[in-house]
Amino acid sequence: MRRKPRLVTPVDRGRGRSRHGRGYRSSVTGPDLAPIITRAEAFDRIVGDTAHYLLGLWPDELHGVVFQVADMPTDPTLPESMPRWRVDHAERRVTVFRIPVERVTRSPEKDDVDRRIIVETAVFRAVAELIDKDPWDLAPDRYRHW
């Protein structure tokens, strides 16, 4: 079975680095359990899954689009509000910023489904901006069960 290609280009977050001269960190779970998935890795997966879903729906419009995840925007000329994504029409690139998207809602009841919907919404809105469509028109049957 062929693996599907990676759609998201993650930014190196320095995992396993040496902190305070103590040497490299080992896995918290040890060798007997599966490794823990960090919030950043879960975010990358959700963005990749959503991008893959949208590519299946809009193959012609999204052909050659690069999806990228970054922790925070690094542009020194930020607007007054913190951007949650950046769309580059010339390079056909969508960059989703993890920390602003994760902090959109501050509800203490957030569970995994709520977090997934927040991330998917950001990707849908960024792609809609890229191809000049309404986000609800990208996948009209996606949330029809609610």
Side-chain angles (χ1 to χ4, degrees):
M1 182 173 178
R2 273 183 56 212
R3 287 181 62 172
K4 60 183 176 182
R6 280 190 64 108
L7 296 173
V8 178
T9 308
V11 177
D12 181 26
R13 294 186 174 89
R15 192 170 169 163
R17 66 187 185 274
S18 174
R19 291 182 52 189
H20 308 291
R22 295 186 207 139
Y24 289 101
R25 302 175 109 186
S26 64
S27 173
V28 174
T29 59
D32 300 329
L33 298 174
I36 295 175
I37 297 173
T38 64
R39 281 193 323 232
E41 291 168 341
F43 188 91
D44 292 345
R45 286 183 184 179
I46 295 170
V47 170
D49 292 346
T50 308
H52 187 65
Y53 174 75
L54 289 171
L55 280 168
L57 293 176
W58 300 90
D60 297 332
E61 290 83 351
L62 296 177
H63 179 73
V65 173
V66 175
F67 291 87
Q68 190 174 29
V69 174
D71 286 336
M72 288 288 289
T74 57
D75 188 6
T77 60
L78 288 175
E80 296 207 5
S81 62
M82 179 64 68
R84 288 176 267 168
W85 62 83
R86 179 177 296 133
V87 175
D88 187 348
H89 292 278
E91 293 186 21
R92 300 197 41 85
R93 178 182 309 271
V94 173
T95 305
V96 182
F97 301 116
R98 181 181 64 83
I99 294 173
V101 169
E102 285 181 340
R103 294 183 181 172
V104 167
T105 59
R106 296 178 185 254
S107 170
E109 303 89 35
K110 276 195 300 189
D111 61 358
D112 291 339
V113 174
D114 293 332
R115 287 186 184 99
R116 183 171 191 93
I117 289 172
I118 290 168
V119 176
E120 285 180 353
T121 301
V123 175
F124 269 68
R125 291 178 68 189
V127 168
E129 182 181 326
L130 178 72
I131 63 175
D132 197 29
K133 296 209 179 283
D134 187 73
W136 290 102
D137 293 339
L138 293 179
D141 295 330
R142 176 79 170 172
Y143 299 109
R144 194 160 305 248
H145 60 279
W146 286 352

